[in-house]
Amino acid sequence: MPRNLVYVAPFPMQTTLRFSRALAGLSDVRLFGVFHEPPKGDAAGVFDDAEVVRNAFDPAEVVAACRRLEARHGPIFRVLGILEDLQVQLAAVRAELGVAGPDVRTATAFRDKAQMKDLLRAAGLPCARHRLLRSDRDGWAFADQVGLPMVLKPPAGAGCKATYRVSSPQELHRVLAEVQPAPQRPVLAEEFLTGAEFSFETLTVGGQVRFSSISRYFPSPLEVVENPWIQWAVVLPRDLSGETFERARSLGVAAVQALQLEDGMTHMEWFRRPDGSLAIGEVAARPPGARIVPLTGLAHVDAAGNSVDIYRAWARAVVDGAFDGPWERRYSTGCAFLRGQGRGRIVAVEGLAEAQEKMGALVVDRELPKVGWMRSDSYEGEGWVIVRHPDTEVVKQALMDLITTVKVRYEA
């Protein structure tokens, strides 16, 4: 009998649906969706059945949808989703249905950043000092302890959303007035980590990290969010040897074990400080954004020399409890994100022909901004270009050429 999989995707966007296709491609499965509104066109054909609910972030509504799917098709084998702000709710759904997968305790350990850092520190792992603010007084006391700048954000934030870098007493006063920390609505304050920012991705099966990868941001995600005009890049270096990367891998593996993930993918942001020490920013029990999933697949090859499908690797981990590696890291890869200053619709995209002449065969995938498109609210901007080469320095230079040559102009 086929295994029934429920994939919860409130907003069936293109990236989200890449993971659903990977689930549908597994052997002996039927894939069902739970949405706010179902996908259209070819994407709808991936699902064998679907339920539309008013609020896919409400565990009770998702449980009810799963019960209706069970009535039509039989028991549910897995309940899955990739959005970070769904993970605790999905764990509650699993508990109600008696379905295997990360439980509420594990999901909360990853989602609640204050609890996460408490667990990491208890395991002896370096991370930013932090405090939950329940009043303005707590905020001023924490500033006295760690100094400025510092960072304020929701305890369960994701992707730098609603994150504030506070660099002066005047800014602290303004931000505290805006976020209004209270006992029933705490705000997470963190020491501001400086240095080069990287990420560490893992595939974990049976509680053991079976695969890992490292990426670097140019510049940091927080700087990108604070400066919407910056054209930025992510680079996956080919060579992951050396003391810094070895220490980072040890930290990342220990973090996954401390937070007790059994099967799945994690995304950890970490810093190499100016003095050479390392510190963990935070860890998420989900696949990474910023095109890191396809970049990771393009950087590695399987035994036949083909690029690796990381979407399928995630699906194999969370459904089959299996890993199909090991894989060879044969390339460096990188992605440049294209955006500019201003608001409204795109009126011009300059420098594309010149960039293409410089890039040549290095470009392996792209989605270019188009005149008439509205400016995106996403930090990924209106378009992106992925490049690949065996030499990391060639990739870095190509990305620099892209972000300095291509200019996106918006209506005045």
Side-chain angles (χ1 to χ4, degrees):
M1 181 175 178
R3 298 170 296 172
N4 294 328
L5 311 179
V6 174
Y7 186 65
V8 183
F11 315 105
M13 308 297 287
Q14 180 180 358
T15 299
T16 309
L17 293 173
R18 286 288 298 272
F19 291 92
S20 67
R21 292 188 183 96
L23 293 170
L26 297 177
S27 62
D28 194 31
V29 301
R30 289 185 297 197
L31 182 63
F32 311 134
V34 175
F35 313 105
H36 286 167
E37 60 181 59
K40 298 178 175 62
D42 293 342
V46 172
F47 296 91
D48 296 288
D49 200 353
E51 284 284 330
V52 176
V53 298
R54 290 179 302 173
N55 183 4
F57 293 92
D58 182 344
E61 289 202 37
V62 177
V63 167
C66 288
R67 295 292 190 201
R68 293 191 292 272
L69 289 166
E70 280 188 319
R72 296 197 292 270
H73 303 288
I76 302 299
F77 181 72
R78 292 287 186 271
V79 178
L80 305 161
I82 64 162
L83 298 183
E84 182 166 352
D85 46 4
L86 258 181
Q87 298 309 310
V88 176
Q89 296 93 317
L90 293 181
V93 171
R94 294 185 197 105
E96 182 69 22
L97 298 175
V99 170
D103 59 18
V104 172
R105 179 195 56 78
T106 299
T108 303
F110 280 94
R111 181 72 175 133
D112 185 322
K113 306 309 181 188
Q115 183 181 142
M116 169 196 298
K117 289 180 170 61
D118 288 338
L119 291 169
L120 295 178
R121 284 194 174 280
L125 302 177
C127 57
R129 289 176 288 176
H130 69 283
R131 180 173 178 175
L132 278 177
L133 310 183
R134 294 179 170 85
S135 67
D136 287 5
R137 180 178 298 177
D138 289 345
W140 291 105
F142 187 72
D144 286 341
Q145 178 188 350
V146 303
L148 297 175
M150 69 183 197
V151 175
L152 271 66
K153 58 180 156 181
C160 294
K161 293 178 181 177
T163 298
Y164 301 86
R165 173 165 42 181
V166 176
S167 301
S168 69
Q170 293 79 9
E171 286 185 357
L172 180 56
H173 185 275
R174 177 183 59 79
V175 171
L176 287 173
E178 183 172 339
V179 300
Q180 298 182 359
Q184 69 275 16
R185 192 183 58 255
V187 174
L188 179 62
E190 291 183 357
E191 171 189 11
F192 181 69
L193 295 175
T194 60
E197 186 169 359
F198 300 79
S199 72
F200 180 79
E201 281 68 53
T202 71
L203 278 165
T204 299
V205 175
Q208 299 298 313
V209 173
R210 302 296 303 276
F211 167 81
S212 64
S213 176
I214 288 175
S215 312
R216 182 169 179 186
Y217 302 114
F218 294 95
S220 72
L222 182 56
E223 289 179 87
V224 171
V225 170
E226 290 178 336
N227 300 282
W229 54 270
I230 289 178
Q231 299 202 120
W232 62 291
V234 174
V235 175
L236 276 65
R238 179 183 180 183
D239 184 3
L240 297 184
S241 63
E243 181 190 7
T244 295
F245 287 159
E246 288 298 322
R247 284 188 290 145
R249 186 180 189 283
S250 296
L251 281 182
V253 170
V256 171
Q257 294 171 344
L259 300 173
Q260 299 184 17
L261 181 69
E262 283 295 312
D263 299 312
M265 195 168 186
T266 65
H267 168 60
M268 180 182 87
E269 292 173 343
W270 60 278
F271 292 80
R272 184 183 64 212
R273 291 166 160 153
D275 64 1
S277 65
L278 307 185
I280 297 171
E282 55 189 49
V283 194
R286 59 166 173 80
R291 304 285 157 184
I292 293 175
V293 170
L295 287 171
T296 304
L298 289 166
H300 294 83
V301 298
D302 60 19
N306 300 313
S307 295
V308 174
D309 185 345
I310 301 296
Y311 298 94
R312 177 177 172 81
W314 167 82
R316 288 276 284 152
V318 297
V319 175
D320 297 334
F323 172 64
D324 295 326
W327 306 311
E328 178 190 354
R329 195 172 179 107
R330 189 174 292 179
Y331 299 96
S332 170
T333 57
C335 184
F337 296 94
L338 306 177
R339 57 190 197 161
Q341 298 189 53
R343 293 180 174 275
R345 296 185 182 276
I346 298 174
V347 295
V349 184
E350 302 167 356
L352 287 175
E354 181 182 350
Q356 178 60 39
E357 186 176 347
K358 292 180 180 179
M359 296 308 101
L362 296 179
V363 176
V364 294
D365 200 2
R366 64 185 183 178
E367 182 175 288
L368 299 177
K370 290 183 172 57
V371 171
W373 282 4
M374 289 297 296
R375 182 186 175 90
S376 170
D377 292 331
S378 168
Y379 61 82
E380 293 190 11
E382 286 68 60
W384 45 268
V385 178
I386 290 176
V387 299
R388 179 173 71 168
H389 191 273
D391 188 330
T392 303
E393 293 306 314
V394 171
V395 167
K396 289 167 67 175
Q397 185 58 56
L399 294 173
M400 180 60 65
D401 288 342
L402 275 165
I403 62 179
T404 55
T405 302
V406 178
K407 304 297 180 186
V408 182
R409 309 291 186 192
Y410 307 90
E411 60 189 4

